[in-house]
């Protein structure tokens, strides 16, 4: 399984950013793709998750109403649309994958991460 993130960068508070995750290599049809972020000095946080089968996407309370996860099955890509960004959203965002459905207790597959910095 391979996961490759793109789309990170520097954005002002209140701004928007869209992350993309191109994935490949899953051997079964049922799997979940998530976004996990790591802020400096803090524990990793599961931000959002989407499954290939039924079930609604899931979000951390800290991003509900501001972030939207979606997927393009034809191109094997998952997107994380981030709106109304706050400085506390700063961190490295990892695209993650696991067989099964959301929520995922522990992801086995990780991308290299992309840096998101929210600052004026």
């Amino acid at each position: 399984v391979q996961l490759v993130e793109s789309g990170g960068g520097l954005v002002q508070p209140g701004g928007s950013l869209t992350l993309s995750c191109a994935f490949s290599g899953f051997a079964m049809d049922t799997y979940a793709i998530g976004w996990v972020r790591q802020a400096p000095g803090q524990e990793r946080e599961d931000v959002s998750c989407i499954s290939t089968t039924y079930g609604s996407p899931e979000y951390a309370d800290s991003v509900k109403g501001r972030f939207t996860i979606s997927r393009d099955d034809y191109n094997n890509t998952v997107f994380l649309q981030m709106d109304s960004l706050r400085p506390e959203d700063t961190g490295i965002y990892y695209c993650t994958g696991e067989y099964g459905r959301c929520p995922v207790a522990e992801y086995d597959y990780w991308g290299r991460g992309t840096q998101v910095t929210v600052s004026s």
Side-chain angles (χ1 to χ4, degrees):
V1 174
Q2 289 190 325
L3 304 154
V4 180
E5 307 95 336
S6 61
L10 173 65
V11 63
Q12 293 186 342
S16 297
L17 208 58
T18 300
L19 305 182
S20 300
C21 173
F23 61 89
S24 63
F26 285 99
M28 299 172 62
D29 291 336
T30 302
Y31 51 88
I33 302 291
W35 290 94
V36 176
R37 68 184 178 188
Q38 175 82 66
Q42 297 188 21
E43 295 185 357
R44 285 178 178 170
E45 179 183 21
D46 287 351
V47 174
S48 185
C49 180
I50 190 166
S51 303
T52 55
T53 55
Y54 61 87
S56 301
E58 300 198 353
Y59 300 94
D61 288 342
S62 58
V63 306
K64 278 181 183 176
R66 301 188 298 121
F67 289 12
T68 304
I69 192 170
S70 61
R71 67 176 193 259
D72 177 350
D73 294 333
Y74 183 79
N75 292 302
N76 283 356
T77 303
V78 168
F79 304 96
L80 186 68
Q81 173 68 39
M82 305 185 294
D83 299 318
S84 302
L85 283 162
R86 305 167 180 168
E88 54 263 39
D89 294 318
T90 295
I92 300 174
Y93 283 69
Y94 298 91
C95 181
T96 56
E98 185 56 67
Y99 288 103
R101 290 186 289 267
C102 306
V104 175
E106 188 170 348
Y107 289 99
D108 279 338
Y109 306 104
W110 293 72
R112 292 190 173 185
T114 185
Q115 177 70 45
V116 171
T117 303
V118 185
S119 175
S120 55

